[in-house]
Amino acid sequence: RYSSAVGVSSALGCNACSAGKYSNEEGMIEENACKDCLKGHHQDAPGNETCVKCSVGQYMNENGAVNCLDCNPGLYENEEAQLMCKECPISNYTDQSKQKKCIPCDNDETSENGSTFCTKCDAGQFMSTNKVCTPCALGTVSTYGESSCTNCTAGYYSSDDNATCVGCPHGKYLDQHLQTSLESCRNCTHGRYSSATGVASAVGCNACSAGKYSQEVGMIQELACKECGIGQHQDAPGNDTCLNCT
């Protein structure tokens, strides 16, 4: 307290330092004797000789505070008298204010720094050992929430977002694993066709039957196989020519 007046008849007649201020000296005559509470402290009542430390879960980054501020969701503070709150670390969160610690994410979930929620990894990603969502390697895929990626096998290639393996289209095949684009697929060879998708080898394409042939590649229907002409024959399937009768 302080007083610039004379003839004050009681201790309460002295002026109280306002909230947010304090004085630990006696006999002060001016309001300037009241000092601002320091950062990390507050005082919500007038007439005090000390300030109070901000409690855990709170902070104050200005002098002269009446009240401390609560840490926002995604932040925490586990020490008193702090000027700022800490971010929840990776794979931790808090969805409430004024927290002194964060909550760990479940084993199949993770989060970024300062998160208010946890999430599983998106399709095309997997959870690494340090709980970071990491893109699948080329030619591998995953769906939402998977902890590992799966290889695309022969006949299939990975989509652009690594979310699914896509089968090679009609008239094509792919005899290699871990492929990444449609360009990896090859045309069914002469004398063969395929109406199926995801064919894994050249012989997986259907052969034109005996008595027929085809000189085109990438054919999708049996209609592409032509009958041998008069005076010709073909006793083996999957050929691109007929033989002349002897």
Side-chain angles (χ1 to χ4, degrees), residues 27-28 31 38 57 66 71 75 81 96 107 120 141 144-145 231 235:
M28 297 298 100
E31 187 177 9
L38 298 177
V66 176
C71 295
L75 306 175
Q96 297 181 8
N107 289 337
K120 296 181 179 181
V141 299
Y144 175 78
D235 59 358

Side-chain angles (χ1 to χ4, degrees), residues 1-23:
R1 291 178 179 268
Y2 67 94
S3 178
S4 58
V6 297
V8 176
S9 60
S10 69
L12 294 177
C14 295
N15 301 306
C17 291
S18 57
K21 296 178 181 288
Y22 76 102
S23 177

Side-chain angles (χ1 to χ4, degrees), residues 89-198:
I90 289 175
S91 196
N92 288 263
Y93 79 102
T94 176
D95 56 2
Q96 297 181 8
S97 59
K98 201 178 179 180
Q99 297 301 297
K100 63 181 180 179
K101 63 180 181 179
C102 300
I103 303 169
C105 295
D106 291 339
N107 289 337
D108 61 346
E109 294 185 326
T110 189
S111 67
E112 297 180 349
N113 289 325
S115 290
T116 59
F117 61 92
C118 297
T119 184
K120 296 181 179 181
C121 292
D122 290 334
Q125 299 180 328
F126 72 98
M127 186 81 71
S128 67
T129 54
N130 57 347
K131 300 207 73 176
V132 175
C133 289
T134 305
C136 290
L138 295 177
T140 67
V141 299
S142 72
T143 55
Y144 175 78
E146 292 294 322
S147 59
S148 62
C149 300
T150 303
N151 293 345
C152 288
T153 57
Y156 293 83
Y157 61 92
S158 59
S159 58
D160 290 341
D161 59 1
N162 285 359
T164 186
C165 294
V166 181
C168 287
H170 311 296
K172 293 180 180 292
Y173 73 96
L174 179 56
D175 57 2
Q176 295 178 319
H177 302 287
L178 303 175
Q179 298 304 298
T180 61
S181 70
L182 173 61
E183 286 70 27
S184 303
C185 300
R186 301 174 181 178
N187 288 324
C188 290
T189 57
H190 303 289
R192 293 182 177 271
Y193 67 94
S194 178
S195 58
T197 59

